[in-house]
């Protein structure tokens, strides 16, 4: 038996969390989230090519928090299977030998579960090398799940053990500290987003949002493209400081975004009779990295004919009039495109400016505290919160990490009880 944090379907709790205002939602999530800590059977490999993993660290992602707070679109509901163990940002140790890597090797995991993992014939997307667009995420030898961490059969990083297909795994260099390595998956997503579109030399860019996604996007833009000025819109002073350390040219508080960008780009600010203003002019490319109200902001900051890239998972409706009137290009970027993106991500993970990104690590028994902390990370100055699932303890890491102990017991009645 292993210790795991499970997500169970509970429409009543989901709706209750979704209807609370922001501050009340953060306070209520530990009670309302349909999660429970339980002992369960470790998942078994479903066939050849699958291996067992022992979780070292697993990050708490914005999509995990959206799930816990009732903000995930119902569009995704057919692409998960219940009950699942969350956690798709995973650093683990192999429990089996695979592809020349002996048991005990540290690996990071591409969480996408495409045709190769499912044992189906390749769909058109997988055949063309775009496994992140797989059309078979609800068929094959494992249950539905767009990713590990949303699939009942694979387990997830918020547990002591999980399974993965060998094609998902990437070896971690011995020199890379664990608290940097656990950033590989969100870094690979950032790499994918900046490779998703053409970024000509000198292009003016705005990044909306300075949480984990936004900050790592800034790093990927600076290291992998010839972008010109990068302006970051960040809500908290600590986020703006980190953005500048990662290569942002300038940072702006959201309340001053329109005025600040008008000054920088030379556009003009117009204000409709109802609703917020927008620019005539603006940035060439805007990366939307909040998954919330940032999309509305992005559409109002980009120039006519410019591009808005959706890197954060959308969670709110938005007025698309600017996309029509200004002939905007709206581009989505989901997960990563496999080995090339992960190789770049592991290289970027060694960047000194990522020191302290993972500053708080919790055992699974302190999951309520961990989620509360993650929901207020920007305000508290944190970036990435992670779980260390092994035996309820926290591993010794390289670097200054605030480890949170705990002696709570599994909640066998669970959130649905």
């Amino acid at each position: 038996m292993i210790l795991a944090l499970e997500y169970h379907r509970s429409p009543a709790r989901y709706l209750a969390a979704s209807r609370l205002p922001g501050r009340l939602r953060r306070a209520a999530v530990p009670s309302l989230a349909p999660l429970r800590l339980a002992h369960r059977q470790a998942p078994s490999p479903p066939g050849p090519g699958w291996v067992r993993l022992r979780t070292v660290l697993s990050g708490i992602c914005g999509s995990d928090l959206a799930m816990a707070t009732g903000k995930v679109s119902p569009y995704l509901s057919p692409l998960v299977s219940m009950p699942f163990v969350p956690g798709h940002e995973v650093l683990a140790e192999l429990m089996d030998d695979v592809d020349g890597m002996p048991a005990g090797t540290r690996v990071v995991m591409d969480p996408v579960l495409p045709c190769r993992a499912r044992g189906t014939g390749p769909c058109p997307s997988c055949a063309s090398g775009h496994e992140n667009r797989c059309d078979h995420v609800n068929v094959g030898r494992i249950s539905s799940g767009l990713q590990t961490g949303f699939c009942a059969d694979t387990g997830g990083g918020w547990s002591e053990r999980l399974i993965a297909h060998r094609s998902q795994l990437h070896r971690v260099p011995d020199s890379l500290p664990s608290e940097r390595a656990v950033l590989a998956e969100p870094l690979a997503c950032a790499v994918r987003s900046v490779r998703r579109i053409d970024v000509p030399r000198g292009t003016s860019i705005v990044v909306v949002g300075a949480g984990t996604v936004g900050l790592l996007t800034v790093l990927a833009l600076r290291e992998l493209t010839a972008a010109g000025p990068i302006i970051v819109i960040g809500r908290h002073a600590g986020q703006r400081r980190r953005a500048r350390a990662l290569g942002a040219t300038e940072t702006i508080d959201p309340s001053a975004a329109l005025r600040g960008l008008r000054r920088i780009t030379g556009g003009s600010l117009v204000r409709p009779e109802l609703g917020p203003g927008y620019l005539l002019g603006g940035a060439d490319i805007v990366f939307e990295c909040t998954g919330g109200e940032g999309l509305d902001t992005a559409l109002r900051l980009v120039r006519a004919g410019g591009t808005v890239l959706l890197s954060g998972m959308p969670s709110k409706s938005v007025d698309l009039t600017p996309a029509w009137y200004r002939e905007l290009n709206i581009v989505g970027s989901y997960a990563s495109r496999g080995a090339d993106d992960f190789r770049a991500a592991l290289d970027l993970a060694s960047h000194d400016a990522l020191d302290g990104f993972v500053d708080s690590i919790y055992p699974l028994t302190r999951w309520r505290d961990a989620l509360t902390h993650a929901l207020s990370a920007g305000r508290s100055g944190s970036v990435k919160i992670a779980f260390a699932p092994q035996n309820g303890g926290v591993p010794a890491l390289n670097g200054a990490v605030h480890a949170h102990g705990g002696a709570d017991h599994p909640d066998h009645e669970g959130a649905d009880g």
Side-chain angles (χ1 to χ4, degrees), residues 50 114-122 139-142 165:
W50 285 81
C115 294
R116 281 194 293 173
R118 294 180 170 277
T120 64
V139 297
R141 61 181 145 191
I142 54 174
H165 190 260

Side-chain angles (χ1 to χ4, degrees), residues 150-173:
F150 300 94
C151 174
D153 290 343
T154 63
W158 296 5
S159 65
E160 294 175 314
R161 306 280 190 275
L162 69 157
I163 58 172
H165 190 260
R166 62 188 179 191
S167 62
Q168 295 179 270
L169 303 176
H170 305 275
R171 187 171 194 158
V172 175

